[in-house]
Amino acid sequence: AGGVKCSANDAIEFKLVRNVQDIDDEEKAFPPDMTHQVFGDSEMIFGYRGLKVSIYYTGSKLIPYLRISHSEVCNTKEHGVSPDDIEKLLAQELPPGYLTNLDTFKAALSDEATFKPFGEKIDSYTVTTKNGEERHFDVYFAKMEKSGFQKFHERIQSFIKFYIDAASYIDVDDPQWQYYFLF
């Protein structure tokens, strides 16, 4: 099976996309910190050569898009095992309704301007970066009952298994959870 296994950490890239130009901007891509919670302890994906798994989110509403590309898929008869069903494994972690059509994803970008953070603004601050640029941040407190917030929460929560070891999704029906977001 040499050559048909690849590191999931190397094959997967995330992007927060704010405009159509960001889609092809490799500077915007960032890798997962870990993939063992999705692809097993070895963090390997079997059955592909030249594999690239792109998981992009619109920058504000976090509408997800999944694209899987490869140069070759292994021959099941030759290797005695089927290639990993990447989309099936990722579908368990991505929020329902993730997009797989690039044109639909591009159309979703045009709706980003209407995004308003959920909840109540409770604080704000400004920092100056090393190059002298000022960046403004707002802190919001949101409640799960707020219309649309649960779907937004599902989308943002889909990152955790790639960045927090031993992560699990929270019980949104548990009233003890409080939700704070930094924008």
Side-chain angles (χ1 to χ4, degrees):
V4 292
K5 281 187 186 178
C6 63
S7 163
N9 292 331
D10 293 338
I12 295 173
E13 72 172 10
F14 287 93
K15 262 187 209 176
L16 292 174
V17 178
R18 289 178 174 77
N19 56 57
V20 175
Q21 292 76 26
D22 288 347
I23 293 170
D24 295 322
D25 185 347
E26 288 306 315
E27 301 261 325
K28 303 284 185 192
F30 54 96
D33 283 345
M34 64 196 73
T35 56
H36 67 272
Q37 295 177 102
V38 179
F39 293 100
D41 289 341
S42 70
E43 297 187 319
M44 299 298 282
I45 299 174
F46 172 77
Y48 305 88
R49 286 192 178 92
L51 180 64
K52 183 175 180 182
V53 179
S54 303
I55 305 172
Y56 300 166
Y57 289 79
T58 60
S60 298
K61 292 187 176 186
L62 301 176
I63 306 298
Y65 164 71
L66 173 66
R67 176 175 57 200
I68 301 169
S69 61
H70 49 78
S71 58
E72 188 178 340
V73 179
C74 77
N75 182 311
T76 302
K77 288 181 183 176
E78 179 185 331
H79 291 94
V81 64
S82 299
D84 291 336
D85 189 338
I86 300 166
E87 185 169 355
K88 182 178 179 183
L89 292 166
L90 288 172
Q92 298 172 48
E93 308 306 329
L94 293 175
Y98 64 88
L99 304 175
T100 57
N101 180 285
L102 185 58
D103 290 332
T104 306
F105 181 70
K106 287 177 180 178
L109 288 170
S110 66
D111 197 30
E112 286 289 281
T114 64
F115 178 75
K116 301 270 187 273
F118 289 92
E120 172 189 352
K121 181 176 163 182
I122 60 170
D123 201 0
S124 65
Y125 61 93
T126 301
V127 296
T128 304
T129 64
K130 291 178 184 176
N131 66 1
E133 177 187 357
E134 283 195 351
R135 305 236 11 232
H136 184 78
F137 295 89
D138 294 326
V139 180
Y140 282 79
F141 171 71
K143 295 187 177 190
M144 192 53 69
E145 305 83 44
K146 175 86 172 148
S147 177
F149 178 65
Q150 187 166 348
K151 289 196 180 300
F152 177 78
H153 180 264
E154 284 177 359
R155 294 190 298 266
I156 201 165
Q157 186 171 237
S158 64
F159 284 94
I160 69 171
K161 291 198 178 173
F162 297 97
Y163 295 97
I164 302 172
D165 199 16
S168 60
Y169 299 127
I170 66 169
D171 178 2
V172 295
D173 294 325
D174 183 343
Q176 294 185 52
W177 281 102
Q178 296 192 2
Y179 306 92
Y180 295 89
F181 291 92
L182 181 65
F183 293 94

